[in-house]
Amino acid sequence: MAYALITPSSRGLGLALTRHLLLTTPPTLPIIATSRTSPATTRSAILDSLPSSTNAPARLDVQPLDFTDERTIADLASYLHDRHNRHDPEKNYLRFAMCVPGRLTPERSPQAIDAEDALSTLKLNLLAPMLLAKHLIPLMPLRSSSNSSSSDHLPEQIPGLNKHHALLAFMSARVGSISDNNTRGGEEWRKSEMCGDASRDGEDGFE
């Protein structure tokens, strides 16, 4: 069976997306979520008040992940492979992954940039998505494979997702636009978003 991943899932958009998937997808689709510090607390927050018809407790699997540590990204990919892909990769694969790591340092001018702070921002906003792509793409079907064009084993009921597609998505922001940059400020964030958008454009050809 195919499965879905939302990362991170402990708060904000990631938490809301995880709950949305549990509410709107078939009650057999496994949903993997991640948390950097407290998977148990994140699991409780995700499951809070969800109706029993979603089968959420059985479907939800919360795993630890620290975007600044590639070892934990590799560990997650290895766990997913062993738990899902390994048994029958033609039927069991990562169908949908939404990755929303990000860090905002709200400096207002280039003079306010701190080198260590900027490196931390780039590591999370640029490098982390690249490493996620590195480790997650092997869990997804290639465009040329049979299961990338078949809906036999795939819940086509994932809202908005073509039943013949698998999707690896990264959250970006309008602030990374080169043409729409009139307000200035947030230099580290803007530059990291611009670079991230460019790198993700290149990754599309490998899915």
Side-chain angles (χ1 to χ4, degrees):
M1 178 178 293
Y3 58 98
L5 167 70
I6 304 292
T7 181
S9 313
S10 54
R11 58 190 176 89
L13 184 59
L15 174 61
L17 284 170
T18 306
R19 287 173 57 83
H20 179 72
L21 278 184
L22 287 166
L23 284 166
T24 59
T25 56
T28 54
L29 177 70
I31 306 291
I32 291 82
T34 73
S35 174
R36 182 172 62 89
T37 57
S38 181
T41 301
T42 297
R43 179 179 175 84
S44 296
I46 293 170
L47 294 177
D48 185 44
S49 302
L50 291 181
S52 59
S53 60
T54 63
N55 194 30
R59 299 166 58 199
L60 179 64
D61 183 0
V62 184
Q63 292 296 312
L65 179 66
D66 181 350
F67 290 107
T68 64
D69 183 352
E70 185 181 4
R71 177 183 56 81
T72 71
I73 300 174
D75 287 347
L76 175 66
S78 178
Y79 170 82
L80 294 176
H81 176 271
D82 291 345
R83 185 175 178 83
H84 297 284
N85 297 66
R86 179 172 64 117
H87 303 293
D88 188 348
E90 285 296 310
K91 297 180 181 179
N92 305 316
Y93 53 90
L94 179 59
R95 168 95 192 290
F96 174 75
M98 182 67 188
C99 308
V100 292
R103 179 177 189 267
L104 168 62
T105 303
E107 79 289 319
R108 299 301 301 173
S109 71
Q111 288 70 36
I113 294 174
D114 176 82
E116 291 300 319
D117 234 20
L119 285 173
S120 296
T121 299
L122 286 167
K123 189 172 184 179
L124 189 56
N125 293 3
L126 171 61
L127 186 58
M130 293 171 64
L131 293 175
L132 283 165
K134 168 185 173 180
H135 291 284
L136 294 181
I137 286 176
L139 302 174
M140 308 182 83
L142 297 174
R143 286 175 173 157
S144 58
S145 68
S146 60
N147 54 11
S148 67
S149 59
S150 172
S151 61
D152 291 344
H153 314 293
L154 214 292
E156 59 188 74
Q157 300 91 337
I158 292 182
L161 183 57
N162 185 299
K163 66 182 181 180
H164 301 303
H165 292 171
L167 179 66
L168 173 60
F170 295 92
M171 185 181 72
S172 185
R174 186 178 179 185
V175 72
S177 170
I178 295 175
S179 60
D180 182 13
N181 190 15
N182 297 321
T183 58
R184 309 304 301 174
E187 296 295 322
E188 297 173 17
W189 192 29
R190 287 182 184 277
K191 302 307 187 293
S192 64
E193 288 290 315
M194 291 176 192
C195 293
D197 289 345
S199 70
R200 287 186 283 275
D201 182 62
E203 285 154 6
D204 181 60
F206 294 98
E207 295 177 30

